[in-house]
């Protein structure tokens, strides 16, 4: 038996090919692989990464687990699984990220980057919340934080709050009210998220207010997931440690999403569940 594990998202796709003991014998990388936003592009990059990882090895018995952004769109996930020439399960990248971070242990994951999601693993079962994207959620994320600063700049111009030095700096960069409006019409989550590091490092009153609002959202999400006996929290993502709360014990991640996908591919119970 051989195993393929894939981790794919908006910024790229990685694959590993492992033997029966889990030893990685091949690796591959390719471009963006969000199967909900662009299925054809994602399919191309996923197949490229897998083929690069496998090389010329002709393995007859293979199991594959693909943790992909957009896999919560069931038709796309099912279509991709049907196209692969070996037994495969296509799951959300949340599933593989949580398994990689926690291994088989109980715990909570707070993943905060451009977007955000929160998940609990308890007695082998996962329950995730968030991950709705900036239009519907992604509370506490880098994109949410950046947009919150833009909203606060607009409110300051309307007189609801002071125009602090940070807000004045932002408005000057945007060329004022009209520039802020124009930016907001076309801004992607990544565009908004580029303001987040500045906000997290600033002592400006506007930055403090936005940061406290983000942490309140994060605290509410984790509290919703906590069982009666609190679980430790593992903080993931580029902003995870910067926004980490001291309300609960912390636990370092055991591995990454690719590790999680490989562990699931090798787990017999995952295939019979």
């Amino acid at each position: 038996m051989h195993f393929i594990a894939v981790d794919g998202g908006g910024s790229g796709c990685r694959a590993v090919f492992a033997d029966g003991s889990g030893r990685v014998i091949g690796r591959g990388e390719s471009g963006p692989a969000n199967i909900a936003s662009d299925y054809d592009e994602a399919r191309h990059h996923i197949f490229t990464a897998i083929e690069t990882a496998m090389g010329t090895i002709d393995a007859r018995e293979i199991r594959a687990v693909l943790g992909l952004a957009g896999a919560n769109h069931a038709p796309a996930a099912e279509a991709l699984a049907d196209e692969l020439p070996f037994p495969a399960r296509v799951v959300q990248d949340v599933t593989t990220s949580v398994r990689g971070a926690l291994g088989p242990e109980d715990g909570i994951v707070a993943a905060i980057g451009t977007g955000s999601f929160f998940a609990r693993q308890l007695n082998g079962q996962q329950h995730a919340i968030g991950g709705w994207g900036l239009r519907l959620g992604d509370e506490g994320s880098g994109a949410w934080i950046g947009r919150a600063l833009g909203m606060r700049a607009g409110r300051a111009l309307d007189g609801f709050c002071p125009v602090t030095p940070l807000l004045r700096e932002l408005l000057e960069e945007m060329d004022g009210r009209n520039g802020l409006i124009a930016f907001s019409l076309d801004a992607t989550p990544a565009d908004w998220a580029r303001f987040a590091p500045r906000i997290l490092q600033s002592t400006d009153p506007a930055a403090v207010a936005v940061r406290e609002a983000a942490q309140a959202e994060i605290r509410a999400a984790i509290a919703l997931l906590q069982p009666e006996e609190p679980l430790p929290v593992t903080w993931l993502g580029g902003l995870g440690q910067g926004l980490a709360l001291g309300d609960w014990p912390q636990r370092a991640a055991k591995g990454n999403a690719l590790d999680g996908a490989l562990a699931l591919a090798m787990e017999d119970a995952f295939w019979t569940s």
Side-chain angles (χ1 to χ4, degrees):
M1 180 68 73
H2 286 73
F3 304 98
I4 292 172
V6 175
D7 172 39
S11 59
C13 180
R14 301 178 299 154
V16 296
F17 184 54
D19 64 17
S21 69
R23 180 176 64 93
V24 174
I25 54 180
R27 296 180 183 272
E29 294 188 12
S30 192
N34 186 318
I35 60 174
S37 61
D38 190 331
Y39 180 85
D40 291 335
E41 177 190 57
R43 179 192 180 281
H44 170 72
H45 289 145
I46 291 163
F47 273 72
T48 298
I50 290 174
E51 289 165 3
T52 302
M54 291 184 65
T56 59
I57 298 174
D58 182 18
R60 301 292 180 180
E61 295 186 19
I62 292 176
R63 283 182 180 174
V65 170
L66 290 71
L68 303 174
N72 54 335
H73 180 55
E78 292 167 1
L80 182 65
D82 288 342
E83 289 196 66
L84 291 164
F86 38 71
R89 293 190 66 172
V90 179
V91 299
Q92 291 187 62
D93 50 353
V94 173
T95 302
T96 51
S97 293
V98 172
R99 179 55 188 269
L102 301 181
E105 296 180 6
D106 294 344
I108 287 177
V109 168
I112 306 169
T114 299
S116 66
F117 75 80
F118 306 87
R120 178 184 66 223
Q121 184 167 272
L122 184 62
N123 299 324
Q125 300 296 313
Q126 290 186 14
H127 174 61
I129 59 176
W132 290 95
L134 186 58
R135 291 189 179 186
L136 296 178
D138 272 357
E139 292 84 357
S141 69
W144 187 94
I145 287 171
R147 187 183 63 181
L149 187 69
M151 293 170 65
R152 195 169 184 88
R155 290 180 64 80
L157 288 177
D158 284 340
F160 286 101
C161 58
V163 180
T164 67
L166 179 60
L167 295 179
R168 186 175 296 110
E169 180 182 282
L170 176 67
L171 289 166
E172 288 173 357
E173 289 179 16
M174 296 284 186
D175 292 327
R177 179 190 297 268
N178 290 336
L180 178 61
I181 294 171
F183 176 84
S184 72
L185 295 176
D186 297 320
T188 65
D191 292 332
W192 283 119
R194 68 183 176 88
F195 297 109
R198 190 188 315 182
I199 296 165
L200 296 185
Q201 296 163 10
S202 176
T203 58
D204 183 275
V208 172
V210 170
R211 192 161 60 242
E212 288 178 346
Q215 289 182 316
E217 293 286 352
I218 293 167
R219 180 176 288 107
I222 295 174
L224 183 62
L225 290 172
Q226 284 287 9
E228 187 173 340
E229 292 293 329
L231 297 170
V233 179
T234 297
W235 298 86
L236 302 180
L239 301 180
Q241 284 300 320
L243 288 164
L245 303 170
D247 302 48
W248 304 276
Q250 294 188 28
R251 179 193 291 157
K254 293 179 178 293
N256 58 32
L258 201 55
D259 299 322
L262 181 56
L264 291 173
M266 297 178 65
E267 191 174 287
D268 288 339
F270 184 69
W271 295 88
T272 57
S273 62

